[in-house]
Amino acid sequence: MPSFDIISEVDNVELKNAVDNAKRELSTRFDFRGVEATIELNKEVVKLTSESDFQLLQLADILRGNLAKRGVDANAMNTQKIVFSGGKTCYQNVEFKQGVETNNAKKLVKMIKDAKIKVQVSIQGEKLRVTGKKRDDLQEVMTLVRNAELDQPFQFDNFRD
């Protein structure tokens, strides 16, 4: 029986490249000249540091633009609350979602069942396995998942006939 997996992963190499490009862009930006502003990557968390919250929003936009150029979906970004530390600086952590979150997995299963497509969906850890008799049914599920508005990017893996 044909099957595939629904996964949600961020390519760490592309993430590192996007952060490096954002750092380069930050060093050439006129509006950040003479300002203490940094972008740091630590595993799957990017730390944005600046002197004001407005500049943090600009840093997040720079990062988002570079992620788009590198093919990383910005929906994987999970921005945390802005923290003011000391008198002069503030920072914000940006985490990247890995794996399908359980709430989104349950919503996907319900959405696929409500569409009455003849497939079986099972949650297997941080991914979903979709199995069906016809390839067309699986492709219909892929289209349904692509059009879903669930604040998380999804990829399809291990398509087997």
Side-chain angles (χ1 to χ4, degrees):
M1 283 178 77
S3 68
F4 70 92
D5 296 333
I6 300 173
I7 60 173
S8 180
E9 294 178 347
V10 175
D11 186 1
N12 289 332
V13 174
E14 291 299 331
L15 176 61
K16 183 181 182 311
N17 290 337
V19 169
D20 289 343
N21 289 344
K23 284 180 186 178
R24 251 183 254 117
E25 183 177 337
L26 177 64
S27 67
T28 62
R29 290 272 298 251
F30 178 73
D31 51 344
F32 281 99
R33 204 147 282 145
V35 175
E36 289 291 322
T38 59
I39 301 174
E40 300 170 2
L41 175 66
N42 185 13
K43 296 183 183 168
E44 290 166 5
V45 178
V46 177
K47 185 175 183 179
L48 308 173
T49 309
S50 185
E51 294 177 0
S52 71
D53 53 346
F54 176 72
Q55 290 171 340
L56 279 181
L57 296 174
Q58 287 180 318
L59 287 176
D61 285 342
I62 291 171
L63 179 62
R64 199 171 285 115
N66 282 295
L67 287 171
K69 288 177 189 173
R70 302 300 303 182
V72 177
D73 196 338
N75 283 337
M77 287 177 61
N78 185 13
T79 55
Q80 305 295 317
K81 205 168 102 175
I82 296 175
V83 178
F84 293 92
S85 63
K88 194 176 175 185
T89 62
C90 55
Y91 68 91
Q92 180 178 32
N93 288 333
V94 180
E95 296 176 349
F96 287 85
K97 302 172 191 169
Q98 296 280 27
V100 180
E101 296 174 349
T102 53
N103 291 340
N104 285 344
K106 290 176 183 177
K107 287 178 187 176
L108 280 174
V109 170
K110 184 178 182 333
M111 187 172 60
I112 292 168
K113 287 186 177 183
D114 289 346
K116 298 202 187 305
I117 303 170
K118 295 181 181 180
V119 294
Q120 290 81 40
V121 183
S122 61
I123 300 173
Q124 296 181 342
E126 293 189 340
K127 65 181 179 181
L128 278 84
R129 170 75 43 96
V130 180
T131 310
K133 290 184 179 179
K134 297 180 185 173
R135 230 176 149 172
D136 293 341
D137 292 341
L138 296 180
Q139 290 173 343
E140 194 175 338
V141 170
M142 285 181 181
T143 306
L144 185 69
V145 171
R146 276 191 198 108
N147 296 333
E149 298 284 328
L150 290 175
D151 294 340
Q152 191 173 7
F154 298 107
Q155 296 90 29
F156 307 107
D157 194 27
N158 295 336
F159 191 90
R160 297 189 188 107
D161 275 333

